[in-house]
Amino acid sequence: MKPSWLTAALVVLAMALPHVVRGQGVAESYPARPVRVIVGLAPGGATDIQTRLFAQKLSESLGRPFVVENRTGAGGTVAYAHVAKSPPDGYTLLGVAGGYTITPFVYSKLLYDPVKDFAPISLVVQAPFLLLTHPSLPVKSVRDLLVLARAKPGALDCASAGHGTSTHMAFELFVAMSGVKITHVPYKGTGQSLVDAMSGQVHMLFGNVLSSLPHVKAGRLRALGVTTAKRSVVLPDLATIAESGVPGYENSTWHGWLAPAGTPPVILNRLNAELVRSTRSPDVVERLAPDGGEPVGSTPEQFSRHISEELARWSRLVKETGIRFE
């Protein structure tokens, strides 16, 4: 006669085993059909390009098409709401960037919760912004810029891709931490802000490496510093903003993947494993290098913490500075 505790344990095991086997079966058969990967921004931008890069790698490794679909509108929130309401079966995913953690403070009424409605898969890439000035501005370092800005409060201006964008928040963080007064000039996108910065219509801007570096090399813009805590592998001689007069300054653009909340863990884990493997692929590393992108390949838990930390940081900045997105 079996002891009562052993009998109970065997019953629990017998009840759990079918679920374990079923979970293994789901993981092995996934994906059984094409997977949609939604992007909330326009084709050709950094988020779109990086999403397509990793979607292609997943298509190759998992044997089914991962099809990128651009659903633009309201700063990406149209796409976020669509995915939040999609079935949590692994066949609708979301590619996001730094703006994902800024939009909750730009739009007062969201049709989704950026934490509760999504399951993080992986933070795959991080990349710096560059602090750029027109060559005619008599500064050659961040310290020079701070001296000039303090001597002429409000006289300098800084372009951004628009209210509530990543470049706008990089600027707001810079002025908040440095204590200088510089006028914000929002544009409708990165392109025109770059054009006006190169023509001298505005004094400075924060830009990504991919779109800015060719103009720096051509002498049309001057790079004063990188926004990340460490120097960029693409520009190792360019100092960080933190080491050049604004201690503690750190900001970056990033790219990650999310699924609707409730997606089975076995699917999330399989996607995570393949995305992490892709970040180690030599061809991916080579493709990311011109943008200053550094592969990350986080766990879902690490990406969840990253999102929470970013939301908390932008919330503090908005409350402390009274930024208005209009």
Side-chain angles (χ1 to χ4, degrees):
M1 182 175 179
K2 297 185 180 70
S4 58
W5 65 265
L6 179 57
T7 301
L10 290 172
V11 170
V12 171
L13 179 60
M15 294 174 63
L17 188 58
H19 295 282
V20 173
V21 172
R22 192 180 306 122
Q24 291 175 339
V26 170
E28 291 172 0
S29 63
Y30 175 84
R33 62 179 189 270
V35 177
R36 293 191 309 149
V37 187
I38 309 301
V39 175
L41 301 173
T47 304
D48 177 71
I49 291 170
Q50 292 182 358
T51 302
R52 291 179 187 277
L53 172 62
F54 285 96
Q56 179 60 36
K57 298 300 290 186
L58 290 178
S59 299
E60 294 169 1
S61 63
L62 294 176
R64 296 285 183 180
F66 280 69
V67 182
V68 176
E69 178 182 324
N70 299 86
R71 284 189 172 232
T72 61
T77 60
V78 170
Y80 307 156
H82 172 77
V83 176
K85 292 175 174 57
S86 296
D89 55 9
Y91 290 95
T92 304
L93 306 175
L94 180 66
V96 296
Y100 177 78
T101 55
I102 297 172
T103 50
F105 310 105
V106 180
Y107 299 92
S108 57
K109 294 182 179 180
L110 296 178
L111 300 178
Y112 65 92
D113 185 297
V115 175
K116 295 178 181 178
D117 289 340
F118 296 93
I121 302 172
S122 183
L123 172 65
V124 291
V125 178
Q126 285 187 302
F129 288 117
L130 301 179
L131 173 52
L132 305 154
T133 63
H134 188 266
S136 65
L137 200 67
V139 297
K140 293 187 177 180
S141 68
V142 174
R143 285 190 175 86
D144 290 346
L145 178 65
L146 295 175
V147 169
L148 182 62
R150 286 169 181 145
K152 300 180 177 181
L156 300 181
D157 49 34
C158 181
S160 80
H163 284 295
T165 59
S166 296
T167 52
H168 175 202
M169 299 305 277
F171 161 75
E172 293 289 355
L173 186 64
F174 177 79
V175 295
M177 294 185 68
S178 64
V180 297
K181 185 177 180 181
I182 298 174
T183 303
H184 175 226
V185 183
Y187 284 77
K188 293 183 178 180
T190 301
Q192 191 57 48
S193 66
L194 266 175
V195 170
D196 279 9
M198 288 187 289
S199 67
Q201 296 299 308
V202 288
H203 296 113
M204 56 185 282
L205 80 163
F206 286 83
N208 63 59
V209 177
L210 182 63
S211 61
S212 306
L213 190 56
H215 304 302
V216 172
K217 290 182 176 179
R220 292 185 287 267
L221 290 171
R222 177 180 292 144
L224 301 186
V226 294
T227 61
T228 41
K230 298 187 299 182
R231 295 192 180 196
S232 169
V233 294
V234 178
L235 296 163
D237 295 329
L238 186 62
T240 67
I241 292 174
E243 65 182 297
S244 306
V246 190
Y249 184 94
E250 180 181 0
N251 189 31
S252 67
T253 180
W254 51 267
H255 172 62
W257 284 49
L258 302 169
T263 300
V266 289
I267 291 178
L268 296 175
N269 290 338
R270 183 160 200 205
L271 287 167
N272 174 265
E274 295 301 328
L275 285 170
V276 170
R277 186 176 293 112
S278 295
T279 64
R280 311 291 187 260
S281 174
D283 62 320
V284 168
V285 174
E286 183 179 350
R287 286 278 300 278
L288 293 173
D291 192 22
E294 298 186 13
V296 179
S298 77
T299 65
E301 294 76 18
Q302 289 169 334
F303 190 23
S304 178
R305 286 196 298 273
H306 176 81
I307 290 172
S308 296
E309 289 167 359
E310 288 285 283
L311 286 167
R313 174 162 67 146
W314 298 131
S315 176
R316 285 194 303 271
L317 182 66
V318 169
K319 289 176 181 177
E320 291 171 1
T321 62
I323 300 170
R324 300 182 66 181
F325 302 104
E326 58 184 22

